[in-house]
Amino acid sequence: MAPDIKAALKEAKAGIKESDFEQVIKYCKIVLKHDRSNYQALVMFARACQEQSKFEDSKKALVLASTVEPDTPVAWQGLATLFDLQPQLSTPAESIKVYGKLIKLFDSGPKHIAFLRKLASAYESAGEAINAADTLSELLFLVKDEDKNSEKEIAQSIVNILCPIQDTLNEERLQQLLQTVKTLLSDSVLGNNETNYKLYLSLCHKTGDRAELLTAATKMAALFRTAYPLEWIARVFVQDHIPWMHHTSESQLSWSDCEASLFHLFELYPATLWGNLAVGLHYEESGELKNALLCYSRACDRSKSSFSNTAGQPVIWWRLYLEALQKAKDWPTIESTVTRILAILSETGAKWPDSGENVAVTNEKLKLLKAKALMQMGHEKHYALALSILKNLDSPASDLIIECLLYTDLAAARTELENLKSSLNSDTYDVLFAKLLFLECNFTNSQKILEQVLEKSANNVDALILLGRIHQKNRNDAASLSCLLKAAKLDSTREKAFLYLGHHYRRIGDKIKACKCYQKAYNLAPVGEEEGSALSDIYRELGEYDKNFALLNTATQEGASGGAWAWLRMGLHHLSIHDAQKAISALQRCLQLQHNHRQALESLGDAYLARGSYTAAQKVYERILTLDPEAVYPRCQIAKIYLCVGEPLIAVTQYEELMSMCNEPNLRLVTLLGLAQTHFVLASLHTATNHLDNTLSHCVVAIKILDEARELQPNSISIWKLLGDVCSLLYRLPHYLSGNKIEIPARLFRPGSKPGEVEKVSLMTVLQLASKCYGVAVKLSDADPTLWHDLGLSFYLTAKHTHCKGESPENVSSLVQRAQNCLKKSLSLSPLNSEAWNTFGLIVVHPSVKNMALAQHCFIKSVQLQPSASNWTHLGAFYLVGGEVQLAHQAFCQAQALDPRFVTCWTGQALVAESVQHYDAADLFRHCCTLGVQPESLLGHAHHVALALADNKTVAPSVLSLAADAMMFYSREFDGDSIGLNLAGLCLEKFGMGNTAAQLYSMALSAATQHNKGDKQVVNLTDSIRSNFGRVLTSLSRVQDAAVQLSSVSEPDFQSECNLALACLKGEDFETGYTKYMSALHWLAQNDHHKANILVALACLQYKFGKIQEAKTLLFESCQEGGGCVAGIIALGALGLIEGDATLITAALNELAPRRHTDEASHHVTFLTAAQAIIKGETNEAKNILSRAILCRPHCHELWRFLSWHLVCNAPKQPSSRVLRRDDALSTEKLSKAIVACASSASVLSQSSSYPSIKSRCLPTQDGTTRVWGFLRASDKTKALKEAQRSLLMHPGHSEAWVTMISAAVTAGVKDAKVQGMAKVWTPKCAPTVQEWLHRVVLSTPA
């Protein structure tokens, strides 16, 4: 070594000691410059570079050093240290090389152990798990028995390394791994012990150490609360009990050994795959096939998300499930399961367990099984699907193909049979050919062939069953029974033999044996549609409803394969017990299976109808009609729906259309009942609204319909009850409708009458007929409490009508007693019927019984049973009649709370308020009238309105209108109540309906005169009615009749005498009129106001005869009576206008000045003031006076009318020249518009007033005439003609309207022929005077 090199090495070593690594690098480079293989320089250079973070240079130097002296450990150690500090500098191969060399250099000691660890880690990083495990195994051997913690750590590392590749290990290494894992197992629940146990169990399974697997699984289950070890126990049980694998009984794991473990497994994990398989196998071995299928099904569902169904994995669960389904003959589920299995095998590459066949052969067998399952399902579409599968098989099954063709295409089946005759077995061919003939209904030839087959092979079960069916078709019961019994004995697994045996016994009436046969057939084929349907039907016929429900519940529960038959019958079962929602669910499920199942659709509609879903039900029935437009039942149900939703008129139309389609008696009967029910509903609605004429019409139609239905089904309870209901509904008919005017079929009360013959009878006869109808219904069903109630109510209504007719009390008492007996019978049958208690209370309140204590008990009992508004109202009415006002009020309050729109309880509250003189009584009666028609409320409201009018109180027009309407309703029903009719006449007279009021007064007078004429009250009532009657007749210009009525008043008063005087004057009997006025003035006038009014009337009479001075005198006297009479003052002013006496006008205006702002005199004052200005020639001032008055009182129609008259009367004359100046034309147009506007305002304001006194102050046509004149002045002939036509249409009986029309027509250039044509149309509708005028003026004019 050169001196310079030694010196440089020495300086480099000194630099390392002093940590001067720059100096080390400097001197090492000097050395390496001269000797690149200098080991010391390379090592020191590497150390210095490493300290200077020059790791790449350090690595290069160490690698070079390790090659220079490979057996010197310093460089190798340096590399190991560098790789530990900077792992990215090394590759796994480099690390393996370094650590391997160091292990050789240090063959023992701690460094050897440390380098072994690092070498194992390097192998693991390089992906060499086997070498890593071997290295760790060597390490494990070195540390064994020295450090237990290190020993476990190393063993765990070996396990962690080999576990991911355990499937690739050979048997020896698997055993080594198993032993290593076993050393790690302990009784601790911490750390990796649970994971190690799981691995150990898996390894035991791989190595086939079954005993150790069970031992370890049991121990792990005791340590950890997990399902994993229990799953392995279940798996062992499954593998020991798989049917297609052979096991010795000694090696099998018994159920008793693992039962506790499996129960614990289900507690921890109910969805366990192997647990379900194990339990399913146990159930199958125990004969509990149904439970086994459920377990297998859950296992297969679990397999979708489990480690199953993977490539190469045998799908044990699917085979177990499929074989169990074949045992259960669950063909629909077999078909769907095979489909799923084929998809799994093709998609995942899974293996069919224990099958040495290739995939193609396995698929062929599965497809063949699917085709057989489809054939067993028995529908044409299933046969078609099976046929398509069979034709696509590599080795088609000819007999099965023919079997499918027999149910899809008989012609093709015959052809196929001929083609395959030589290849088929003779018996097989003969049976198939016989079946073909059977399906073609050629029973004779089919029987011959089968008999030939049985001669050759007497035990051919297929031939026996088919021959038995042929004998059944031919009604040869003995031969059929013999064949089927023999078939059942030969093969007790053939469900069809037992099915047709059941049909045989059912047909001959032995339902018990039939049931047993059906049960046997169903047990053999639990999902057979024919078998299940037959068993369910026979259960229903035998009344075994619980068994039927259990059967259907089993067939339709989750996981079962019940077809449409089961869901249909389940829906019918729920519908029969009134559980509509469950019925709907079941029937919807049935329709999911068979979309157009007719019976299911009809039943679903019925279920929706029972639930109240009318729209849904109607849609279902309409869907049936799309499938069968001629179907009758859905049309009938649609009509019923319209009736239920409140559209009875549409329902009537539907039923009437249906009548022409019903030829079958039962359908016609149902339609007749529906139509009668609809008319009954319409009659009830009209009764509620008091339209009793319509009630009678619909009831008569319903009675005729029910009579026809009665002939079709004379023993139908519903017909007799409905007939009784219809007849009872007529009890409210008034006399003018009920007196021998009700047309009913004669054969209802005269059995020998001809069909269609009708007779007019009285209401009493109809009510008696109602009792007879209920009596017939009671005879047919004497245990029905509703019928007894209806019969009792019918007797009660007949008794009330008899009492109103004034018949003997004995008859009334007899009827009431019958009613009591019927109600007692009803209550004995149904003591909790509140309606019966309520009706019984009404009966015992009757005057012939009047048991008030019992009545109170009945009403209280009805309220306790059913606190309805009607029951509370009856109780309140009872208390009100008994004088218990407070209790009545409380009862009515309860009724109002239950039904705020129940009018009768409001009427009761109004009567309570009236009895205590509460100020709300009138408002309550009015509210009742707005709610509905109730006689007491109608009378009460009209009574309070009459009282208000009598006291000169202001009554709102709406209130008066409501009273008039109310009394119209009342008068129609109670046409014998003279007081009510008189009150009705007053209301209608006040409302301006004079003719109707006169009719009502006439009816009231007729009713009053039928009473005892010596009675003082009757006399006073008659006088009051005559006075009112005479007054209204006078207003109608029937003065002669008015005079007769007013003269007949036995005790005249001031009003009647004045009315008589007025009638005489209008009849031009002036002397009598004057005498009556004088009589009223001197003897009957009750105050100065009366006298003043009579003096005014006398003054008018004097003026009529030209005695102006005497008239003035009488008018002055009237003004002096009682502080002045407004009518007298106005008459003085009018007389002043006529006479031109300005002083008299001024005096009248001065007298009226204090009253100028009152409604009574304001417009008269304005008129007199304007008239006074006109007399003075101040027309513009008069117009200003009227205009100012309108501004102050714009609602006064009289002022608007006065202004329109003033504008018409004082309009400037139009110039004769045809050409008007522009200013004149504008002025004329403006004036015309003003006239039309004023007349229109007057017309609108007068018509908007509900008071007839306001409407009658002027002719109804005068405002229209004024408007026509305004349009004519503006030369707008078209509008003038339209206005005239409108006025004529509204008032065809007024001559002024005709005059205006003719004037407008002539002005507009209408031809005379058209005017005459209009007159001819309207003449018959006019009053006699107007008719005479039209004939004289219009119709006599030549066209």
Side-chain angles (χ1 to χ4, degrees), residues 244-472:
W244 59 83
M245 296 181 67
H246 302 287
H247 305 280
T248 60
S249 58
E250 293 80 8
S251 65
Q252 280 188 335
L253 180 65
S254 66
W255 173 255
S256 59
D257 293 337
C258 63
E259 181 178 8
S261 299
L262 291 176
F263 284 153
H264 186 43
L265 171 60
F266 276 96
E267 290 177 1
L268 297 175
Y269 183 34
T272 167
L273 184 147
W274 291 103
N276 277 298
L277 287 177
V279 175
L281 277 168
H282 172 67
Y283 279 135
E284 188 174 355
E285 291 173 353
S286 303
E288 300 180 34
L289 197 57
K290 175 184 173 184
N291 293 330
L293 285 172
L294 291 175
C295 293
Y296 291 152
S297 176
R298 286 195 290 266
C300 292
D301 291 338
R302 174 60 186 157
S303 70
K304 299 175 185 177
S305 57
S306 182
F307 53 84
S308 318
N309 298 346
T310 55
Q313 175 73 36
V315 282
I316 299 170
W317 34 92
W318 285 112
R319 180 168 176 178
L320 287 172
Y321 186 36
L322 188 59
E323 291 181 353
L325 288 172
Q326 288 177 264
K327 290 181 181 179
K329 297 184 180 180
D330 190 348
W331 305 114
T333 310
I334 290 173
E335 185 270 334
S336 60
T337 303
V338 170
T339 303
R340 293 170 66 184
I341 292 172
L342 289 171
I344 290 171
L345 294 179
S346 63
E347 292 173 3
T348 65
K351 186 174 67 173
W352 191 244
D354 196 37
S355 174
E357 303 159 345
N358 58 34
V359 177
V361 175
T362 301
N363 289 344
E364 284 280 307
K365 289 185 176 181
L366 289 173
K367 289 177 182 179
L368 181 61
L369 178 60
K370 180 179 180 180
K372 291 180 179 180
L374 287 168
M375 292 173 63
Q376 291 292 336
M377 290 163 69
H379 290 286
E380 183 179 345
K381 62 179 182 180
H382 295 138
Y383 278 110
L385 292 173
L387 182 61
S388 64
I389 293 173
L390 292 170
K391 287 183 176 180
N392 291 325
L393 294 178
D394 294 336
S395 55
S398 303
D399 55 339
L400 295 180
I401 290 176
I402 295 172
E403 187 80 20
C404 292
L405 288 172
L406 287 174
Y407 294 95
T408 56
D409 189 346
L410 290 176
R414 181 179 289 275
T415 303
E416 189 72 18
L417 266 174
E418 294 297 329
N419 295 335
L420 298 174
K421 183 176 181 179
S422 58
S423 62
L424 290 175
N425 179 278
S426 61
D427 287 348
T428 304
Y429 172 80
D430 290 339
V431 172
L432 288 173
F433 189 63
K435 185 177 288 188
L436 173 64
L437 295 174
F438 175 80
L439 294 174
E440 291 176 344
C441 298
N442 190 350
F443 302 132
T444 303
N445 292 330
S446 178
Q447 181 178 346
K448 291 179 181 179
I449 294 174
L450 291 171
E451 288 173 350
Q452 293 173 3
V453 171
L454 291 173
E455 287 178 1
K456 294 183 291 182
S457 176
N459 295 334
N460 191 316
V461 177
D462 291 326
L464 286 169
I465 293 175
L466 185 55
L467 185 58
R469 292 184 66 188
I470 292 173
H471 287 314
Q472 281 186 352

Side-chain angles (χ1 to χ4, degrees), residues 24 167 174 589 813 851 876 881 884 906 911 1184:
V24 173
D167 293 333
L174 275 177
R589 177 61 178 153
S813 299
N851 190 342
V881 172
E884 297 290 341
W906 283 96
L911 291 172
N1184 293 335

Side-chain angles (χ1 to χ4, degrees), residues 1133-1166:
L1135 190 58
L1137 287 176
I1138 295 172
E1139 296 293 323
D1141 189 345
T1143 304
L1144 189 57
I1145 296 173
T1146 303
L1149 287 172
N1150 292 334
E1151 288 293 329
L1152 290 172
R1155 302 179 178 87
R1156 65 186 303 168
H1157 297 297
T1158 63
D1159 291 337
E1160 181 184 10
S1162 61
H1163 58 284
H1164 294 294
V1165 172
T1166 303

